[in-house]
């Protein structure tokens, strides 16, 4: 087998993720396929590149050498592809604003504002539960902007050179439970009130599963967790089968109660990512307006904001570089 850039990209992904399971998910591959590919790469290069254990996969001395040489090659190829795709899109009169996002109620208002501004933009939208995947797509030139959230305690792997604009430094995550759940009578729910409930969490959302496990165990609760997407989780929560984490901007429903957790133990940072500051400016203001519009429409979040933000300055966008 001849070594190709795609093989180098695999090695970098494993080194960054720290495990074959996480790397396979980020690369959109099945783990057995990734394991087979890694074995072939190791056979080609003449030795093991990673040690595998309970704590994950770590580069061997040979692996460190190969990955350190591979990174600049992968980055340079990504830059070439990004520039070529951008030039081709401009030449073809293609989409001017390619947007990626994790789930948010702010998205419809954001797209509407982009289409109706002067001059208008015609955005395209790609959804993905993995913020890391979306950030990688921006770095590779497949997206112009990505609106993502970073779960507290689980930092995103932000590609070098990306520009980030912080929309909200810390957004609390609420809990969604059946409207007739005993804890729904409270304005704030204590984790102890949910000690005997099952939780449903979407483990494809980067960092969310680990964050909830950590928070529950710190509270002395051994979690009973189920894997599932949030549409299913809300349906099961409505009939009392599970409770689930939710964004505070979630739309109220008569069969569900959306409540803050006492002490706000789970938080996320909301980020907008692009390759340049100019690209960040091409959509940030509309996103900020759309977010605070849906925030005002969520009674539990509005109450939380009024209670916790007294005397604080209004939130403002600020730019950081990866």
């Amino acid at each position: 087998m001849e070594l190709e850039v795609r093989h180098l990209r695999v090695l970098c992904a494993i080194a960054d993720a720290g495990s074959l399971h996480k790397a396979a998910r980020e690369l959109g591959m099945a783990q057995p396929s990734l394991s087979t590919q890694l074995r072939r790469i190791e056979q080609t290069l003449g030795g093991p590149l990673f040690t595998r254990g309970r704590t994950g996969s770590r580069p061997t001395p040979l692996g460190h050498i190969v990955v350190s040489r591979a990174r600049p090659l992968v980055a340079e190829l990504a830059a070439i592809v990004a520039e070529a795709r951008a030039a081709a899109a401009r030449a073809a009169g293609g989409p001017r604003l390619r947007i990626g996002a994790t789930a948010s109620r702010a998205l419809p208002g954001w797209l509407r504002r982009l289409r109706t501004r002067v001059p208008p933009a015609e955005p395209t939208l790609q959804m993905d539960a993995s913020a890391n995947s979306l950030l990688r797509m921006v770095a590779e030139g497949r997206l112009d902007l990505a609106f993502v959230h970073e779960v507290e305690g689980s930092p995103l792997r932000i590609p070098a050179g990306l520009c980030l604009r912080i929309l909200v430094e810390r957004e609390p995550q609420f809990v969604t439970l059946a409207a007739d759940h005993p804890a729904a009578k409270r304005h704030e729910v204590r984790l102890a009130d949910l000690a005997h409930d099952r939780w449903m969490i979407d483990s494809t959302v980067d960092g969310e599963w680990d964050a909830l496990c950590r928070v529950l165990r710190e509270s002395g609760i051994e979690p009973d967790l189920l894997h599932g997407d949030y549409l299913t989780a809300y349906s099961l929560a409505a009939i009392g089968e599970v409770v689930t984490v939710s964004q505070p901007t979630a739309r109220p429903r008569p069969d569900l109660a959306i409540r803050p957790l006492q002490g706000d133990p789970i938080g996320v940072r909301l980020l907008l990512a692009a390759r340049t500051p100019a690209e960040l400016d091409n959509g940030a203001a509309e996103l900020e307006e759309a977010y605070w519009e849906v925030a005002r429409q969520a009674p539990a979040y509005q109450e939380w904001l009024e209670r916790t933000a007294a005397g604080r300055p209004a939130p403002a966008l600020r730019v950081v570089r990866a």
Side-chain angles (χ1 to χ4, degrees), residues 5-6 8-10 12-13 16 67-83 136 138-141 158-162 275:
V5 173
R6 63 189 177 93
L8 301 182
R9 191 177 292 114
V10 162
C12 292
D16 290 341
V67 170
S68 66
R69 297 294 297 274
R71 288 192 191 280
L73 296 174
V74 171
E76 183 62 23
L77 180 63
I80 292 170
V81 171
E83 291 173 16
R136 190 166 60 249
V138 174
E140 293 171 355
I158 299 170
L162 281 193
R275 290 182 298 280

Side-chain angles (χ1 to χ4, degrees), residues 1 23 32 70 95 113 184 191 258 302 318:
M1 183 185 77
R113 284 171 169 81
L191 284 173
I258 301 168
Q302 183 65 26
R318 62 186 181 89

Side-chain angles (χ1 to χ4, degrees), residues 19-307:
S19 78
L20 292 181
H21 173 72
K22 291 180 180 178
R25 189 172 69 187
E26 290 187 15
L27 292 167
M29 301 173 61
Q31 185 173 331
S33 299
L34 181 60
S35 298
T36 299
Q37 191 167 108
L38 177 58
R39 283 196 299 272
R40 290 176 178 168
I41 296 170
E42 289 176 328
Q43 289 168 3
T44 300
L45 295 178
L49 301 176
F50 294 91
T51 59
R52 301 140 169 98
R54 276 186 170 182
T55 58
S57 300
R58 299 289 179 269
T60 62
L62 175 61
H64 276 295
I65 293 171
V66 174
V67 170
S68 66
R69 297 294 297 274
R71 288 192 191 280
L73 296 174
V74 171
E76 183 62 23
L77 180 63
I80 292 170
V81 171
E83 291 173 16
R85 283 175 171 161
R90 288 193 297 270
R96 301 288 298 186
L97 197 57
R98 299 163 298 167
I99 290 173
T102 50
S104 172
R105 279 196 62 223
L107 291 177
W110 188 22
L111 298 180
R112 183 181 71 250
R113 284 171 169 81
L114 290 171
R115 290 193 178 102
T116 58
R117 74 184 185 186
V118 180
E122 186 53 45
T124 61
L125 178 64
Q126 175 158 336
M127 301 295 297
D128 197 312
S130 170
N132 283 309
S133 295
L134 292 169
L135 293 175
R136 190 166 60 249
M137 291 176 71
V138 174
E140 293 171 355
R142 290 185 283 160
L143 292 173
D144 299 311
L145 292 169
F147 175 38
V148 300
H149 67 273
E150 179 180 58
V151 179
E152 202 167 56
S154 298
L156 295 174
R157 287 180 290 279
I158 299 170
L162 281 193
C163 293
L164 304 176
R165 185 157 286 179
I166 300 173
L167 176 67
V168 177
E169 186 67 54
R170 190 179 193 273
E171 179 195 73
Q173 298 301 279
F174 287 3
V175 64
T176 295
L177 56 164
D180 59 357
H181 191 292
K185 297 176 183 177
R186 295 179 173 273
H187 290 295
E188 281 189 331
V189 175
R190 301 172 303 185
L191 284 173
D193 297 331
L194 309 174
H196 303 295
D197 285 280
R198 288 183 297 177
W199 293 75
M200 178 168 278
I201 298 296
D202 187 346
S203 58
T204 65
V205 178
D206 295 327
E208 207 139 290
W209 182 275
D210 293 339
L212 182 62
C213 286
R214 182 174 61 253
V215 165
L216 290 175
R217 285 172 177 155
E218 286 174 354
S219 298
I221 299 170
E222 190 59 36
D224 184 4
L225 299 181
L226 303 177
H227 295 262
D229 64 273
Y230 284 119
L231 182 60
T232 302
Y234 290 158
S235 298
L236 293 178
I239 60 173
E241 287 292 317
V242 300
V243 297
T244 189
V245 173
S246 68
Q247 296 173 2
T249 54
R251 187 184 299 277
R253 284 175 40 176
D255 54 350
L256 289 173
I258 301 168
R259 299 286 185 269
L261 286 166
Q262 190 175 73
D264 303 321
I266 307 173
V268 304
R269 188 168 66 150
L270 302 184
L271 304 169
L272 183 64
R275 290 182 298 280
T276 66
E279 288 176 301
L280 275 180
D281 289 339
N282 191 19
E286 291 86 356
L287 175 57
E288 184 182 22
E289 290 177 5
Y291 177 82
W292 292 111
E293 178 182 59
V294 296
R296 289 190 296 270
Q297 295 169 356
Y301 192 23
Q302 183 65 26
E303 181 182 332
W304 183 92
L305 288 168
E306 292 171 356
R307 176 167 44 84

